[in-house]
């Protein structure tokens, strides 16, 4: 099983026992380089036959958000039993109903699914990191199985595996694999560390992989056309652009053709990815919709509207990934008067004048204020200037 492992102790353990389990801050992963018996039923209990006495069972939750108890409540633990008395039959292999010649990669579609950022951040990019070097000769086994999620990402799954996805909850058969990986590697927010990946892939390579999955044009230069095209992400509930209609009128006055996708459109990625790919610019307030930057072509521009006190999160979650993917990235940082919090608390309250003191009071309070409790009213003339500069960059 050719997969990167941590140096030293972990590699020695894998070589000696054929099993190595890592419990990192963000993820858990067990690598087993010997026969694995997987009865595909929930909850998943897998068997690793051995001529040695049985060991203490290992448990792994295969979703890359280990530090978040809310996400992990949605992820069913997998129990791994290893030893010589783990089955009631003398020949453990007699349990097998389906024999596979390729390794298994087992992961959960639980956690924070339903949010594009989390789906790419905790599942698709980690799956790319963990599986790409198998060159599609690997079988995916998904626990906490959701049909709609498998359908949504079917094009990506097809690129990474030549085999139909296996429902780990209810397939009902006993599957035997020559080796298996439980859990996916995670590096950082919408990021990968090329030094820790076979062949040294980068986020730019990941974006090209996404382009191949959805048959997109990633490398062709953006050429001026009759109307530049802008994808305007409209948010509902939190970080809402309150003067959205004025924004749209201003964009039209600059000659833009505007795409404002509905939530249901984004679920059909095989179609929606092409819409994003056709756009010159994506604009949106800090939030999951900006994850669609992965579908843009080289030379396209990401304009992130940064609400009050969300500078760090905006850069880490979407700004740095945009740079790493080779996209042009622009921030529009709102002024205090553009935040809905200004009208509530006034200019002298620390919530407006010194947000750092609020963050020092804990994440729960700062999240409630700045992430969940803030909307924005854009300074139209100032934002118009940002779009004019973007048009010049594009050659208009």
């Amino acid at each position: 099983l050719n997969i990167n492992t941590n140096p030293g102790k972990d590699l020695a353990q894998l070589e000696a026992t054929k099993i190595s389990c890592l419990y990192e801050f963000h993820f858990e992963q067990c690598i087993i380089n010997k026969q694995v018996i997987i009865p595909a039923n929930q909850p998943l209990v897998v068997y690793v036959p051995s001529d040695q006495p049985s060991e203490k069972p290992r448990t792994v939750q295969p979703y890359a958000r280990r530090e978040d108890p809310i996400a992990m409540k949605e992820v069913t633990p997998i129990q791994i039993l290893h030893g010589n008395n783990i089955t009631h039959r003398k020949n453990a292999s007699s349990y097998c109903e389906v024999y596979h010649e390729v390794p298994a990669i087992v992961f959960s579609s639980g956690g924070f699914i339903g949010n594009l950022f989390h789906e790419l951040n905790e599942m698709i990019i980690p799956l790319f990191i963990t599986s790409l070097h198998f060159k599609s000769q690997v079988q995916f086994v998904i626990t906490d199985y959701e049909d709609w999620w498998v359908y949504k990402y079917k094009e990506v799954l097809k690129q990474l595996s030549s085999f139909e996805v296996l429902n780990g909850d209810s397939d009902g058969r006993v599957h035997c694999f020559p080796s298996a990986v439980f859990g996916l590697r995670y590096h950082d927010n919408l990021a990968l560390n090329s030094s820790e990946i076979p062949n040294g892939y980068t986020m730019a390579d990941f974006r090209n992989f996404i382009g191949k999955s959805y048959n997109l044009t990633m490398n062709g230069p953006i050429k001026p056309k009759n109307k530049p095209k802008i994808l305007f992400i409209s948010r509902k509930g939190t970080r809402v652009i309150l003067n959205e209609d004025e924004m749209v009128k201003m964009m039209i006055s600059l000659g833009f053709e505007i795409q404002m996708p509905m939530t249901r459109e984004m679920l059909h990625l095989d179609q929606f990815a092409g819409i994003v790919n056709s756009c010159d610019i994506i604009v949106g307030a800090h939030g999951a919709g900006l994850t669609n930057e992965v579908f843009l072509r080289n030379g396209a521009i990401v304009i992130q509207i940064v609400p009050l006190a969300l500078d760090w999160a905006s850069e880490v979650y979407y700004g740095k990934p945009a740079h790493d993917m080779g996209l042009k990235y622009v921030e529009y940082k709102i002024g205090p008067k553009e935040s809905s919090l200004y009208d509530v608390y006034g200019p002298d309250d620390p919530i407006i004048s010194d947000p750092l003191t609020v963050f020092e009071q804990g994440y729960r309070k700062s999240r409630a204020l700045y992430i969940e409790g803030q909307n924005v009213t854009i300074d139209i003339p100032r934002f118009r200037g940002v779009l004019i500069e973007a048009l010049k960059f594009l050659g208009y």
Side-chain angles (χ1 to χ4, degrees):
L1 184 60
N2 177 24
I3 188 167
N4 271 14
T5 59
N6 279 4
K9 181 180 177 181
D10 297 315
L11 182 58
Q13 183 184 40
L14 183 63
E15 291 176 344
T17 66
K18 306 298 183 184
I19 297 180
S20 177
C21 292
L22 306 175
Y23 295 91
E24 302 286 345
F25 180 74
H26 289 294
F27 72 94
E28 303 174 0
Q29 185 182 64
C30 285
I31 301 168
I32 302 176
N33 204 5
K34 60 194 300 185
Q35 186 189 46
V36 180
I37 302 173
I38 303 180
N41 294 295
Q42 191 181 44
L44 204 62
V45 179
V46 304
Y47 304 95
V48 185
S50 171
D51 56 6
Q52 300 298 315
S54 294
E55 301 176 1
K56 182 180 178 180
R58 294 170 171 85
T59 301
V60 60
Q61 285 183 278
Y63 180 77
R65 199 77 177 190
R66 186 173 184 243
E67 78 283 5
D68 193 315
I70 296 175
M72 299 311 279
K73 281 182 181 179
E74 307 301 321
V75 182
T76 305
I78 296 171
Q79 191 173 45
I80 300 172
L81 305 180
H82 179 218
N84 62 1
N85 62 348
I86 58 171
T87 65
H88 300 296
R89 302 184 193 181
K90 187 174 182 180
N91 179 8
S93 296
S94 63
Y95 274 88
C96 302
E97 295 177 81
V98 183
Y99 287 89
H100 299 264
E101 296 182 355
V102 300
I105 291 182
V106 184
F107 64 97
S108 170
S109 61
F112 289 141
I113 62 169
N115 177 294
L116 183 64
F117 171 81
H118 290 291
E119 290 169 356
L120 263 69
N121 186 58
E122 288 124 50
M123 300 171 74
I124 299 301
I125 295 176
L127 191 62
F128 176 85
I129 292 170
T130 305
S131 67
L132 186 66
H133 64 282
F134 286 105
K135 297 180 179 178
S136 78
Q137 294 304 296
V138 66
Q139 172 72 61
F140 295 146
V141 181
I142 302 181
T143 62
D144 305 307
Y145 188 93
E146 293 286 353
D147 274 326
W148 69 264
W149 186 89
V150 173
Y151 176 79
K152 181 177 180 180
Y153 291 100
K154 63 183 184 299
E155 305 302 333
V156 172
L157 297 173
K158 286 177 185 176
Q159 286 292 317
L160 292 172
S161 172
S162 297
F163 307 92
E164 288 291 325
V165 169
L166 181 62
N167 184 336
D169 296 339
S170 61
D171 177 85
R173 296 174 294 173
V174 180
H175 297 259
C176 288
F177 295 90
S179 54
V181 178
F182 296 87
L184 306 175
R185 289 293 174 107
Y186 177 88
H187 289 169
D188 208 342
N189 293 302
L190 293 185
L192 50 82
N193 184 347
S194 59
S195 66
E196 297 182 18
I197 304 173
N199 302 317
Y201 295 108
T202 66
M203 276 303 289
D205 293 316
F206 173 75
R207 190 165 63 87
N208 286 330
F209 161 77
I210 288 293
K212 182 179 178 182
S213 298
Y214 292 104
N215 196 28
L216 306 177
T217 301
M218 309 303 283
N219 297 316
I222 291 180
K223 297 178 181 178
K225 45 187 178 291
N226 290 336
K227 282 195 173 185
K229 198 170 180 181
I230 197 164
L231 184 76
F232 187 21
I233 304 295
S234 177
R235 290 186 57 83
K236 309 297 180 187
T238 62
R239 284 155 280 142
V240 175
I241 298 174
L242 297 175
N243 57 341
E244 195 175 81
D245 290 346
E246 291 179 61
M247 288 274 285
V248 170
K249 289 177 183 177
M250 179 267 291
M251 292 175 183
I252 292 172
S253 74
L254 288 175
F256 280 105
E257 176 186 339
I258 302 174
Q259 291 281 344
M260 292 185 69
M262 304 294 288
T263 301
R264 62 178 178 271
E265 290 181 85
M266 299 185 191
L267 294 176
H268 301 280
L269 284 186
D270 49 347
Q271 300 170 24
F272 185 64
I275 294 173
V276 180
N277 186 249
S278 70
C279 292
D280 304 290
I281 301 174
I282 180 172
V283 170
H286 173 73
L290 289 171
T291 313
N292 287 295
E293 65 189 19
V294 301
F295 303 119
L296 292 172
R297 291 167 290 160
N298 292 341
I301 303 175
V302 179
I303 301 178
Q304 178 170 203
I305 296 168
V306 181
L308 187 67
L310 295 183
D311 301 47
W312 178 86
S314 297
E315 170 62 21
V316 168
Y317 291 119
Y318 303 107
K320 186 178 185 301
H323 286 301
D324 292 344
M325 287 186 284
L327 299 168
K328 172 73 172 175
Y329 174 69
V330 177
E331 284 187 342
Y332 176 87
K333 295 182 181 181
I334 72 166
K337 291 183 178 180
E338 292 173 88
S339 172
S340 61
L341 297 174
Y342 185 91
D343 296 330
V344 177
Y345 296 98
D348 299 325
D349 192 293
I351 289 171
I352 302 299
S353 63
D354 192 10
L356 184 59
T357 61
V358 179
F359 280 88
E360 288 173 349
Q361 296 174 41
Y363 177 70
R364 181 173 295 180
K365 181 171 183 177
S366 60
R367 178 181 176 85
L369 279 168
Y370 300 116
I371 296 178
E372 297 175 349
Q374 178 177 199
N375 296 318
V376 298
T377 301
I378 299 298
D379 181 330
I380 298 296
R382 187 161 76 93
F383 195 83
R384 186 175 186 275
V386 172
L387 288 180
I388 289 172
E389 289 302 311
L391 286 170
K392 290 178 182 177
F393 177 82
L394 292 168
Y396 287 90

